[in-house]
């Protein structure tokens, strides 16, 4: 890859959203330093890779030397025996401090809607702690708060694809309680464009952006829209949360995966994936995307743990 006048460090360039962000930067003539836990994973885009060496912050800082910005997508979806939200918070603290030592001029951090330091949910509590860390540092930052990602190809995302998979493979769908809690999905390309815009921004202004798409759905309504898009309509029934979790656990075990956690169900039911009055930061409509990809959406199960097994 040629030397470019600007360089940006991006975590997760071999993963989902980070890959789209890196490609948009390259299309602008910006050099990439890909920070990853998976330097041995296939690298079809030919990124310049450096390891996320959490135990060597000096080397981590040196890998970001000369970068104007850091885009951080690093996080873990749920707690497991291999990784945890608490561990991800500590790792990200090391990353932020290394960026400061490297002279990075701006940090763009991917957070979540409604982070909350007082939440009993470690996902939202950990994200809030990371935002607090940024506030305490001297580096200008942009915090992007997406709810749910979708696109570009079905199966790259987890939740939307697997909702369609459930519709295709079961005669009835059970959802926790009334299903009236809401989501605001954003297209991965829209999130990537937003991250790149913020990474290349001039000046020292700090920004927090609700990175939500133009459409909002209740959980029940999202199943209805997806069913109509793929031509597979199913009855959607209200069930107790424990029943929904038990069903998700059984389906996850069949795929050697974690389909939906108890905390994710609680986060949904607490309406944490919807921001009242937020101005949409994305432009792509999930309903239009689902209709365009109707033939392939949900045809196969998207396995989170299979991806992580490849990356480990």
């Amino acid at each position: 890859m040629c030397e470019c006048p600007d360089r940006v460090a991006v975590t997760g360039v071999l993963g989902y959203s980070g890959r789209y962000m890196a490609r948009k930067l390259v299309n602008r003539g910006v050099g990439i330093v890909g920070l990853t836990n998976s330097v041995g994973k296939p690298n079809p885009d030919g990124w310049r890779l450096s390891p996320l060496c959490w135990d060597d912050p000096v080397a981590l800082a040196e890998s970001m030397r000369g970068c104007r910005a850091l885009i951080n997508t690093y996080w873990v979806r749920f707690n497991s025996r291999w990784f945890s939200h608490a561990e991800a918070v500590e790792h990200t603290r090391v990353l932020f401090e290394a960026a400061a030592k490297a002279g990075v001029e701006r940090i763009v951090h991917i957070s979540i809607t409604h982070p909350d330091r007082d939440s009993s949910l470690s996902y939202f509590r950990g994200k809030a702690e990371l935002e607090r860390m940024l506030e305490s540092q001297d580096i200008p930052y942009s915090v992007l708060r997406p709810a749910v990602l979708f696109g570009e190809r079905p199966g790259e995302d987890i939740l939307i694809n697997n909702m369609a998979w459930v519709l295709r493979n079961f005669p009835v769908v059970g959802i926790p309680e009334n299903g009236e809690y809401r989501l605001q999905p954003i297209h991965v390309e829209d999130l990537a464009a937003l991250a790149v815009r913020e990474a290349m921004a001039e000046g020292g202004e700090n920004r927090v952006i609700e990175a939500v798409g133009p459409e909002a759905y209740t959980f029940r309504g999202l199943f209805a829209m997806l069913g109509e898009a793929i031509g597979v309509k199913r009855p959607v029934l209200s069930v107790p949360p424990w029943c929904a979790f038990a069903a998700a656990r059984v389906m996850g075990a069949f795929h050697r995966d974690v389909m939906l956690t108890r905390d994710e169900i609680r986060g949904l039911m607490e309406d944490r994936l919807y921001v009242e009055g937020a101005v949409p930061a994305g432009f792509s409509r999930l309903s239009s995307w689902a209709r365009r990809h109707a033939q392939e959406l949900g045809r196969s199960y998207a396995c989170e743990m299979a991806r992580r097994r490849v990356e480990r």
Side-chain angles (χ1 to χ4, degrees):
M1 185 177 296
C2 66
E3 291 296 324
C4 300
D6 283 319
R7 282 193 299 166
V8 172
V10 184
T11 64
V13 294
L14 302 180
Y16 183 25
S17 61
R19 181 172 71 252
Y20 285 93
M21 294 168 189
R23 288 173 178 170
K24 285 189 178 297
L25 285 163
V26 168
N27 288 340
R28 288 183 57 152
V30 178
I32 296 299
V33 175
L35 302 176
T36 178
N37 280 322
S38 313
V39 291
K41 186 179 176 182
N43 181 14
D45 292 289
W47 309 126
R48 171 183 170 183
L49 300 179
S50 292
L52 282 164
C53 40
W54 309 118
D55 57 349
D56 191 348
V58 173
L60 185 56
E62 194 57 36
S63 69
M64 289 185 276
R65 188 80 58 191
C67 292
R68 66 173 289 158
L70 163 68
I71 299 178
N72 177 44
T73 70
Y74 168 75
W75 189 241
V76 296
R77 191 185 127 207
F78 48 79
N79 294 316
S80 77
R81 62 181 179 181
W82 298 290
F83 42 77
S84 70
H85 295 138
E87 182 182 59
V89 168
E90 177 59 21
H91 285 172
T92 307
R93 179 190 65 77
V94 173
L95 178 66
F96 288 166
E97 291 178 357
K101 291 176 182 176
V104 166
E105 299 174 6
R106 188 170 200 88
I107 294 176
V108 180
H109 174 63
I110 309 304
S111 187
I112 188 69
T113 47
H114 294 295
D116 182 0
R117 292 184 65 193
D118 296 322
S119 175
S120 61
L121 304 176
S122 60
Y123 191 111
F124 294 89
R125 191 171 65 249
K127 288 288 192 179
E129 178 64 17
L130 294 179
E131 291 192 20
R132 187 198 63 80
M133 286 183 193
L134 286 174
E135 292 170 3
S136 67
Q137 294 198 147
D138 293 330
I139 306 176
Y141 63 83
S142 297
V143 171
L144 309 184
R145 292 175 172 172
V148 175
L149 295 184
F150 67 95
E152 171 58 31
R153 297 185 301 274
E156 286 188 316
D157 58 82
I158 298 295
L159 179 63
I160 301 299
N161 180 82
N162 288 348
M163 290 177 73
W165 178 84
V166 167
L167 286 164
R168 289 189 186 277
N169 288 276
F170 294 91
V172 65
V173 175
I175 58 173
E177 293 191 352
N178 62 17
E180 293 304 308
Y181 32 89
R182 298 160 292 181
L183 308 88
Q184 291 168 291
I186 186 169
H187 195 286
V188 65
E189 290 274 10
D190 288 344
L191 180 65
L194 190 60
V196 169
R197 185 196 77 186
E198 292 301 303
M200 304 306 292
E202 302 287 348
E205 180 185 358
N206 297 326
R207 287 186 282 273
V208 176
I209 300 169
E210 303 295 347
V212 298
E215 293 181 322
Y217 294 93
T218 65
F219 197 57
R220 179 183 295 275
L222 183 52
F223 268 111
M225 184 278 288
L226 291 172
E228 182 176 354
I230 66 175
V232 181
K233 297 184 180 181
R234 305 293 191 197
V236 179
L237 306 180
S238 298
V239 301
W242 67 264
C243 183
F245 172 67
R249 190 166 184 176
V250 169
M251 286 185 280
F254 180 79
H255 292 278
R256 298 178 62 202
D257 190 26
V258 177
M259 187 177 192
L260 198 62
T261 70
R262 185 179 282 110
D263 279 4
E264 286 172 333
I265 291 173
R266 285 183 56 198
L268 276 167
M269 293 176 61
E270 289 176 8
D271 227 15
R272 289 186 178 270
L273 300 182
Y274 176 81
V275 182
E276 191 73 48
V279 177
F283 305 97
S284 301
R285 302 174 71 86
L286 175 59
S287 57
S288 300
W289 176 86
R291 287 192 295 270
R292 286 197 307 273
H293 295 280
Q295 293 306 309
E296 57 213 283
L297 183 59
R299 288 292 181 184
S300 60
Y301 179 87
C303 183
E304 169 92 4
M305 294 304 293
R307 295 179 189 178
R308 290 193 174 272
R309 285 191 288 269
V310 169
E311 292 176 3
R312 287 178 62 84

